[in-house]
Amino acid sequence: DGGITQSPKYLFRKEGQNVTLSCEQNLNHDAMYWYRQDPGQGLRLIYYSQIVNDFQKGDIAEGYSVSREKKESFPLTVTSAQKNPTAFYLCASSGELGTSGKSEQFFGPGTRLTVL
Amino acid sequence: AQSVTQLDSHVSVSEGTPVLLRCNYSSSYSPSLFWYVQHPNKGLQLLLKYTSAATLVKGINGFEAEFKKSETSFHLTKPSAHMSDAAEYFCVVSVWTSYDKVIFGPGTSLSVIP
């Protein structure tokens, strides 16, 4: 089945530690995205990537880093510089370049990160 | 610049009654518009999308939305609410410029009363 997987589903981190969230898609999509969702709020864009080996900062990139070495993978690292990392993190992907403005985003099931 | 306003942060309806979730947008370009649903602790699922074809768009689970350019609105409706419709709903505007710019509304929480 085609789709997006995120792992782990729940993640606990001690303050001061870096942690990496996994996102994999087998939809052959060019574009991938990371969002952060806080309780009772909408989604805020952290980073996005339109193509392999290229990515752009979103609205709240500070304290986060990404890589896009393979088309199907877009891991997100939450660094110790992120002051309030406890949140629900969603990964998404969308269709081919040039059409992605019209194609919907497909979302993974999310990772809930809690900093202890 | 693009923006999305969801006029109600919370809507409560009785089971079997109609649902109306309101969305207004602002866009300098011809937008694509989407509605997504999110159940607790889950990812988002696409309900329906408008991409400059028919202005009345039918989606999954009996939902539909009408694109009204003159009113810059894209309201989501369903004739009869079901308990399983209780969730968070997001209106989204997307514009293809030099990069894929997708703007999410703040969300509307729908409660369905038995």
Side-chain angles (χ1 to χ4, degrees):
Chain A
D1 287 334
I4 300 181
T5 56
Q6 290 185 243
S7 61
K9 188 172 177 66
Y10 298 95
L11 188 57
F12 297 89
R13 186 194 96 178
K14 290 184 180 178
E15 211 167 318
Q17 287 181 336
N18 291 359
V19 65
T20 297
L21 282 60
S22 168
C23 177
E24 304 277 332
Q25 55 100 358
N26 60 5
L27 301 167
N28 199 35
H29 285 167
D30 288 304
M32 296 188 74
Y33 312 81
W34 273 106
Y35 294 94
R36 171 182 171 138
Q37 186 176 30
D38 293 284
Q41 298 189 30
L43 278 66
R44 292 185 289 170
L45 182 65
I46 305 172
Y47 268 97
Y48 65 97
S49 168
Q50 298 285 0
I51 200 167
V52 174
N53 292 323
D54 184 57
F55 48 83
Q56 305 294 330
K57 291 182 179 179
D59 301 317
I60 55 164
E62 185 175 350
Y64 299 98
S65 65
V66 293
S67 62
R68 187 84 187 276
E69 297 176 0
K70 299 186 295 183
K71 187 175 184 177
E72 56 272 18
S73 178
F74 191 42
L76 173 74
T77 296
V78 185
T79 75
S80 56
Q82 168 51 232
K83 297 191 186 313
N84 186 20
T86 295
F88 189 51
Y89 291 86
L90 287 161
C91 179
S93 69
S94 67
E96 298 79 12
L97 280 176
T99 64
S100 53
K102 291 185 180 293
S103 62
E104 67 269 27
Q105 294 189 4
F106 291 79
F107 285 82
T111 292
R112 185 164 298 282
L113 173 64
T114 303
V115 174
L116 304 173
Chain B
Q2 287 70 241
S3 67
V4 178
T5 302
Q6 291 184 243
L7 295 150
D8 306 294
S9 60
H10 184 81
V11 170
S12 184
V13 301
S14 296
E15 190 176 17
T17 65
V19 176
L20 170 64
L21 304 183
R22 298 182 292 169
C23 173
N24 285 90
Y25 70 92
S26 171
S27 177
S28 305
Y29 304 91
S30 296
S32 296
L33 295 159
F34 307 82
W35 276 100
Y36 288 85
V37 61
Q38 184 183 32
H39 291 278
N41 296 310
K42 302 288 187 185
L44 276 68
Q45 180 185 17
L46 180 71
L47 277 177
L48 49 80
K49 65 178 180 181
Y50 166 78
T51 57
S52 74
T55 56
L56 182 62
V57 182
K58 294 189 183 299
I60 61 172
N61 300 335
F63 284 95
E64 63 181 38
E66 186 171 8
F67 173 70
K68 292 187 176 180
K69 187 175 181 179
S70 60
E71 298 176 11
T72 62
S73 69
F74 191 56
H75 300 334
L76 182 71
T77 60
K78 182 173 180 177
S80 176
H82 191 271
M83 294 299 293
S84 61
D85 295 328
E88 191 83 15
Y89 291 80
F90 294 96
C91 182
V92 178
V93 62
S94 174
V95 177
W96 173 252
T97 54
S98 59
Y99 56 89
D100 194 341
K101 185 65 175 179
V102 179
I103 306 294
F104 284 79
T108 297
S109 176
L110 176 66
S111 297
V112 181
I113 304 166

